[in-house]
Amino acid sequence: MTVLLALTAGCSDSGATPHPPVTSGAQSMPPVPRSLDAAKYADNLCGLLEKGDLAELGFKGEPSLKPTGPDFSVPSCKAVGGPADGSLDLSLKGDLESLRAAYEDTSGKYGFRHAVELRAFPGVVRSQAVDYPGSCDVLVAIGKQQMLALTSLPGDSRGGAIAICGRLLTLAETLLRKLGA
């Protein structure tokens, strides 16, 4: 929650959006404290998301399970119909490679990239743009070989990417709690 406060701190009545520093340089991913049991959601990933979770992000309706990935083997839960036709994607991945790569990224591709710790689990929150309402990713390890990935593609700015990422971090923390963190 400290990271969320740091992300949203500094907003004033003038509408100014804070610009937290991009995590610079390559970092090693911290150790994962333990493995969470996500097995009961393997066949119904959308069972992790509740209407209230989605409503907090401005989504209406029910999420649906979609196959994703290059070979359509990674299940994904997708919610659409968010603010200005935005979308939310939730997936569980059976490895930590993209999270490790996010920690080690020095490409400068992301205008905002920050290492986070959610309920003692290592993660990264990132967005290619800080002010523009681009997508936001939250990647969090939930085991030695498993990761929770959230991507929000908003249709409106509602505070820019930092505010969008803050709301997505709140959802990620809620999902971790549901998984037993």
Side-chain angles (χ1 to χ4, degrees), residues 165-177:
C165 287
R167 290 189 294 273
L168 203 57
L169 278 169
T170 299
L171 176 58
E173 188 165 31
T174 298
L175 299 179
L176 287 171
R177 189 175 55 249

Side-chain angles (χ1 to χ4, degrees), residues 62-178:
E62 298 291 327
S64 60
L65 199 59
K66 306 283 184 196
T68 61
D71 60 359
F72 296 103
S73 64
V74 177
S76 171
C77 183
K78 189 161 192 101
V80 295
D85 293 323
S87 66
L88 173 74
D89 186 70
L90 165 66
S91 61
L92 290 173
K93 299 187 179 185
D95 64 62
L96 297 177
E97 294 312 309
S98 54
L99 181 55
R100 283 189 186 94
Y103 267 95
E104 297 169 1
D105 184 15
T106 59
S107 70
K109 176 181 175 180
Y110 295 95
F112 172 73
R113 180 177 63 88
H114 194 74
V116 295
E117 184 178 285
L118 296 173
R119 304 186 75 80
F121 289 84
V124 169
V125 58
R126 64 187 182 187
S127 179
Q128 289 187 356
V130 176
D131 292 323
Y132 182 76
S135 69
C136 179
D137 300 317
V138 174
L139 310 172
V140 183
I142 61 167
K144 307 290 184 204
Q145 294 297 320
Q146 196 166 33
M147 173 182 75
L148 179 75
L150 286 160
T151 299
S152 179
L153 300 167
D156 70 2
S157 63
R158 293 200 307 153
I162 292 171
I164 292 162
C165 287
R167 290 189 294 273
L168 203 57
L169 278 169
T170 299
L171 176 58
E173 188 165 31
T174 298
L175 299 179
L176 287 171
R177 189 175 55 249
K178 288 178 185 179

Side-chain angles (χ1 to χ4, degrees), residues 9-74:
C11 291
S12 67
D13 292 333
S14 68
T17 302
H19 294 264
V22 172
T23 304
S24 60
Q27 298 179 0
S28 294
M29 189 178 90
V32 180
R34 61 188 169 90
S35 292
L36 300 176
D37 185 11
K40 70 180 182 179
Y41 297 104
D43 293 330
N44 183 16
L45 188 57
C46 292
L48 265 173
L49 292 172
E50 296 176 9
K51 275 193 167 188
D53 299 332
L54 295 172
E56 287 289 320
L57 292 168
F59 288 91
K60 298 175 182 136
E62 298 291 327
S64 60
L65 199 59
K66 306 283 184 196
T68 61
D71 60 359
F72 296 103
S73 64
V74 177

